[in-house]
């Protein structure tokens, strides 16, 4: 009886904690369907008393949110593919190949994870500007095509692959390139999926770099597009939250469908240091 009571109490506490964590997301969708008067009322309403679905239509009329979402998907997709290629190649070299100074180079490589992105943003901006890449897709994507975190994550996963597998492949005349393409990559789908979801969401939610290097409206991303719904004279919060709901919906769906892969990859990478 006492054990059953403890389990019930734990589930109740977990349910309350989950509701508190999820409520900001749910409240965003509630605000997105409120009328302008209800969204600006004080004290605020926690639940909508009416549903105004035309808020979403009005957002599309005010700002080209579809073009912004398309831009963001393109940039996030290119960055994700680039990080998968560079990180997997570097991780394989650190995990499966022997060369002089490997451990030292890897330590320096991982140490770059300690450097905040804000420290490097000015040198990166000056470099991109000197190459005339301002307001271009290459300026938005190239600085993010390599990631130390992705290399570290994949290396930890590659280290778990048995050495006997590589030795057997070598006996069949398989070199590093063939072993990497036809054995390591297919066996590493959980880790690759984790890195894909992480890099896509990270780029999808970036704000400062696109704001810094883009000037024209057709190059803007969704995070900047949301700020265009706020006007100097007044702010229609129902429209701002409708735009926010449209923006977070793709990333929420990606997180929901990729959460299992994300957890599996993180857990697998943490098993061996």
């Amino acid at each position: 009886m006492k054990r059953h009571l403890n389990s019930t109490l734990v589930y109740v506490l977990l349910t309350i904690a989950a509701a508190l964590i999820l409520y900001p997301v749910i409240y965003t969708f509630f605000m997105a369907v409120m009328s302008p008067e209800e969204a600006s009322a004080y004290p605020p309403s926690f639940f909508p008393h009416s549903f105004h679905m035309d808020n979403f239509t009005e957002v599309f009329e005010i700002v080209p949110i579809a073009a912004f979402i398309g831009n963001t998907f393109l940039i996030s997709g290119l960055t994700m593919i680039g990080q998968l290629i560079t990180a997997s190649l570097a991780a394989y070299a650190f995990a499966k190949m022997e060369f002089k100074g490997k451990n030292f180079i890897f330590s320096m490589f991982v140490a770059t994870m300690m450097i905040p992105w804000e420290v490097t943003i000015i040198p990166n901006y000056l470099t991109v500007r000197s190459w005339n890449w301002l307001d271009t897709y290459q300026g938005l994507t190239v600085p993010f095509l390599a990631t130390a975190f992705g290399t570290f994550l994949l290396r930890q996963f590659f280290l778990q692959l048995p050495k006997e597998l590589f030795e057997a492949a070598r006996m069949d005349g398989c070199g590093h390139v063939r072993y990497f393409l036809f054995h390591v990559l297919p066996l590493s789908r959980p880790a690759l999926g984790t890195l894909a979801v992480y890099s896509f969401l990270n780029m999808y939610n970036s704000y400062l770099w696109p704001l810094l290097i883009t000037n024209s409206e057709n190059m803007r991303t969704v995070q900047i597009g949301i700020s265009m719904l706020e006007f100097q004279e007044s702010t229609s919060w129902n429209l701002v939250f409708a735009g926010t709901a449209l923006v977070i919906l793709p990333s929420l769906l990606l997180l929901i469908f990729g959460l299992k892969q994300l957890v599996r990859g993180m857990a697998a990478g943490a098993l061996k240091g």
Side-chain angles (χ1 to χ4, degrees):
M1 181 66 183
K2 186 177 179 181
R3 186 176 178 181
H4 180 71
L5 188 62
N6 288 337
S7 299
T8 304
L9 182 62
V10 168
Y11 280 115
V12 169
L13 291 175
L14 289 176
T15 303
I16 293 173
L20 290 174
I21 292 171
L22 289 176
Y23 187 73
V25 179
I26 297 171
Y27 186 66
T28 299
F29 287 95
F30 285 167
M31 284 282 285
V33 296
M34 287 183 183
S35 65
E37 296 77 16
E38 190 178 2
S40 304
Y42 185 83
S45 300
F46 289 98
F47 300 98
H49 297 98
S50 58
F51 290 91
H52 293 263
M53 301 303 290
D54 54 341
N55 290 341
F56 296 102
T57 310
E58 198 169 343
V59 168
F60 279 97
E61 293 172 353
I62 295 174
V63 295
I65 197 75
F68 293 158
I69 292 176
N71 274 343
T72 313
F73 263 86
L74 177 64
I75 295 164
S76 303
L78 290 174
T79 304
M80 178 188 72
I81 293 171
Q83 289 191 6
L84 286 176
I85 294 173
T86 57
S88 59
L89 289 171
Y92 180 83
F94 285 126
K96 298 296 181 183
M97 300 178 75
E98 295 298 331
F99 52 90
K100 190 175 182 180
K102 184 177 79 170
N103 292 332
F104 175 75
I105 295 173
F106 180 70
S107 301
M108 297 298 293
F109 201 79
V110 173
T112 61
M113 293 168 60
M114 303 297 111
I115 302 174
W117 159 247
E118 289 76 10
V119 175
T120 62
I121 193 167
I122 298 302
N124 282 334
Y125 174 79
L126 296 176
T127 303
V128 167
R129 190 184 65 175
S130 67
W131 291 347
N132 292 323
W133 281 4
L134 293 180
D135 214 27
T136 61
Y137 287 118
Q138 57 265 38
L140 286 166
T141 54
V142 169
F144 302 96
L145 292 183
T147 166
F149 169 75
T151 304
F152 175 76
L153 176 70
L154 294 183
R155 175 187 175 270
Q156 300 308 103
F157 194 89
F158 291 169
L159 286 174
Q160 298 178 56
L161 300 177
K163 293 180 180 178
E164 292 78 9
L165 182 65
F166 179 63
E167 292 171 357
R170 288 295 297 269
M171 291 179 66
D172 290 337
C174 191
H176 279 294
V177 175
R178 198 171 156 198
Y179 177 67
F180 171 72
L181 291 175
F182 298 104
H183 292 83
V184 174
L185 291 183
L187 291 172
S188 306
R189 280 180 295 180
L192 293 171
T194 301
L195 180 59
V197 173
Y198 173 81
S199 61
F200 188 92
L201 292 178
N202 198 33
M203 196 62 198
Y204 190 87
N205 294 319
S206 65
Y207 174 78
L208 187 56
W209 182 252
L211 178 65
L212 191 63
I213 74 161
T214 58
N215 297 313
S216 59
E217 190 172 284
N218 60 346
M219 291 300 300
R220 295 292 195 186
T221 58
V222 288
Q223 306 301 335
I224 304 171
I226 292 299
S227 63
M228 294 169 67
L229 292 169
E230 297 183 41
F231 305 104
Q232 193 172 4
E233 298 81 13
S234 62
T235 300
S236 299
W237 291 110
N238 58 327
L239 298 182
V240 173
F241 277 88
T244 306
L246 288 171
V247 169
I248 66 175
L249 194 58
S251 55
L252 272 180
L253 292 175
L254 181 64
L255 184 63
I256 290 170
F257 290 111
L259 185 61
K260 186 177 180 181
Q261 196 81 311
L262 194 66
V263 173
R264 283 179 60 193
M266 288 291 185
L271 289 177
K272 185 173 183 178

